[in-house]
């Protein structure tokens, strides 16, 4: 008989590619993970993982079991949801991981709405970059992720997750007050090809949006300054350190007196924001109201 907790470990190893990283995500020791993998191999009668200097990868038998693992764990999530519904499930804590502007845009309004409509549900919010929250859901560190689509993100049909689109927002061009394009109604990105740029670090989903937008305009941005804090990005642009692309919602409430903000000419670069939960958990009586409240906040 295969133990479900060992399937959790197999999936974590497949996701993180090393025993050490999987152990850290699961709050286990590497030796405990290795022992559980060995026990799983004994239960199945197959070698499931191969170790190398670069980490761990699944064998063909491991890949077969991983496909069933996603289905089994999703069904267990559904079972927990139905049992919670049977027991009313009207009170409890839901942990939501989201990036800073996502918290301001949809999470905080959702918290306020739930305080009125579902006062028994307590929301615990964790600040996490747009590419960090989905792994936190998969590792069961949080219940809901509010994340940004990025290169390498799990696709909408990933069997491990239920994906709920929330909103999309454009990036605006931010240039210093004395910039040659400060008087333009819209900014063609190609005109910024020779400027120094300010932007997020590689790995941040917004970095991907900026780079892909510039590549579509025919150039690689010369990123001279890096920060994941858009207030810092705007401050550097105010100091004439360069130009930037910033999500529109991130500009709200900022001091923009030292910069000019203009729409991008043509199709604006866009970040798409979604909520994600472990597949099968979307019907949980605590999680469903949270997803509904996030959707309502996004539409409002």
């Amino acid at each position: 008989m295969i133990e479900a907790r060992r399937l959790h470990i197999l999936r974590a190893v497949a996701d993180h590619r090393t025993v050490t990283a999987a152990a850290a995500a699961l709050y286990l020791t590497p030796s405990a993970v290795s022992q559980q993998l060995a026990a799983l191999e004994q239960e199945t009668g197959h070698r499931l993982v191969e170790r190398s200097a670069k980490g761990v990868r699944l064998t063909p038998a491991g890949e077969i079991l991983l496909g069933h693992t996603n289905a089994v764990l999703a069904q267990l999530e559904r079972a927990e949801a139905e049992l919670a519904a049977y027991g009313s499930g009207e009170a409890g804590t839901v942990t939501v991981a989201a990036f800073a502007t996502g918290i301001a845009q949809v999470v905080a309004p959702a918290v306020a709405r739930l305080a009125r409509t579902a006062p028994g549900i307590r929301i615990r919010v964790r600040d996490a970059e747009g590419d960090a929250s989905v792994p936190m859901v998969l590792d069961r560190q949080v219940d809901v992720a509010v994340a940004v689509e990025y290169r390498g993100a799990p696709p909408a049909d990933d069997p491990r997750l239920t994906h709920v689109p929330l909103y999309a927002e454009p990036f605006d061009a931010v240039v210093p007050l004395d910039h040659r394009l400060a008087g333009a109604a819209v900014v063609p990105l190609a005109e910024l090809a020779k400027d120094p740029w300010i932007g997020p670090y590689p790995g941040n989903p917004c970095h991907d949006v900026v780079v892909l937008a510039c590549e579509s305009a025919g150039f690689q941005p010369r990123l001279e300054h890096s920060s994941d804090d858009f207030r810092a990005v705007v401050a550097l642009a105010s100091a004439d350190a360069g130009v930037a692309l910033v999500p529109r919602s991130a500009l709200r409430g900022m001091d923009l007196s030292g910069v000019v903000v203009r729409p991008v000419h043509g199709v604006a670069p866009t970040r798409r924001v979604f909520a994600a939960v472990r597949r099968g958990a979307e019907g949980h009586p605590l999680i469903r109201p949270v997803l509904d409240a996030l959707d309502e906040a996004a539409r409002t």
Side-chain angles (χ1 to χ4, degrees), residues 82-161:
E82 289 187 20
L83 287 170
Y86 177 77
S88 79
E90 294 178 356
T93 300
V94 176
T95 304
V96 180
F99 57 101
T101 50
I103 292 172
Q105 187 86 348
V106 292
V107 177
V111 169
R113 181 174 186 269
L114 288 165
R116 300 189 304 271
T117 61
I121 299 177
R122 178 189 175 200
I123 305 297
R124 180 178 293 133
V125 180
R126 293 179 61 177
D127 192 328
E129 290 298 336
D131 59 338
S133 55
V134 170
M136 293 168 72
V137 165
L138 291 172
D139 292 335
R140 305 181 71 85
Q141 297 174 17
V142 301
D143 302 301
V144 181
V146 174
V148 177
E149 290 183 3
Y150 59 95
R151 284 189 284 194
D157 61 353
D158 189 297
R160 301 169 298 173
L161 297 165

Side-chain angles (χ1 to χ4, degrees), residues 179-205:
H179 192 273
R180 63 188 180 282
L181 295 177
V186 295
V187 172
L189 281 185
E191 296 295 319
L192 301 176
K194 295 184 178 180
D195 286 84
W197 279 74
I198 312 156
Y201 284 101
N204 186 314

Side-chain angles (χ1 to χ4, degrees), residues 173 187-193 197 210 213-214 217 219 245 264-265 267 269:
V187 172
L189 281 185
E191 296 295 319
L192 301 176
W197 279 74
V210 171
C214 293
F219 69 98
L245 288 173
V264 173
H265 178 70
V267 179

Side-chain angles (χ1 to χ4, degrees), residues 27-83:
Y27 299 102
L28 297 171
T29 64
S31 62
V33 169
S34 295
Q35 289 169 9
Q36 293 299 319
L37 286 175
L40 185 58
E41 290 181 329
Q42 186 173 4
E43 287 173 345
T44 60
H46 291 278
R47 187 180 181 189
L48 302 175
V49 298
E50 292 180 343
R51 292 170 173 81
S52 70
K54 295 182 179 179
V56 176
R57 69 179 184 87
L58 299 188
T59 65
E63 293 287 355
I64 291 172
L65 183 57
L66 180 64
H68 290 286
T69 292
N70 291 328
V72 168
L73 295 184
Q75 191 60 42
L76 287 174
E77 292 284 354
R78 294 186 189 98
E80 289 181 7
E82 289 187 20
L83 287 170

Side-chain angles (χ1 to χ4, degrees), residues 9 16 67 83 96 129 133 146 155 166 169 187 196 200 203 213 226 260 265 277-278 286 288-289 296 299:
I9 290 172
H16 293 282
L83 287 170
V96 180
E129 290 298 336
S133 55
V146 174
L166 292 177
E169 64 172 326
V187 172
S226 297
V260 172
H265 178 70
V277 298
R278 292 180 295 277
L286 293 177
R288 183 74 259 168
E296 177 68 22
R299 288 188 283 111

Side-chain angles (χ1 to χ4, degrees), residues 167-228:
Y167 65 93
E169 64 172 326
F171 281 59
D172 288 326
V174 177
V175 301
L177 287 177
D178 60 355
H179 192 273
R180 63 188 180 282
L181 295 177
V186 295
V187 172
L189 281 185
E191 296 295 319
L192 301 176
K194 295 184 178 180
D195 286 84
W197 279 74
I198 312 156
Y201 284 101
N204 186 314
C206 291
H207 174 88
D208 288 348
V209 174
V210 171
V211 171
L212 288 172
C214 293
E215 288 176 351
S216 296
F219 69 98
Q220 283 280 344
R222 180 162 51 92
L223 282 162
E224 292 200 357
H225 310 283
S226 297
S227 175
D228 289 333

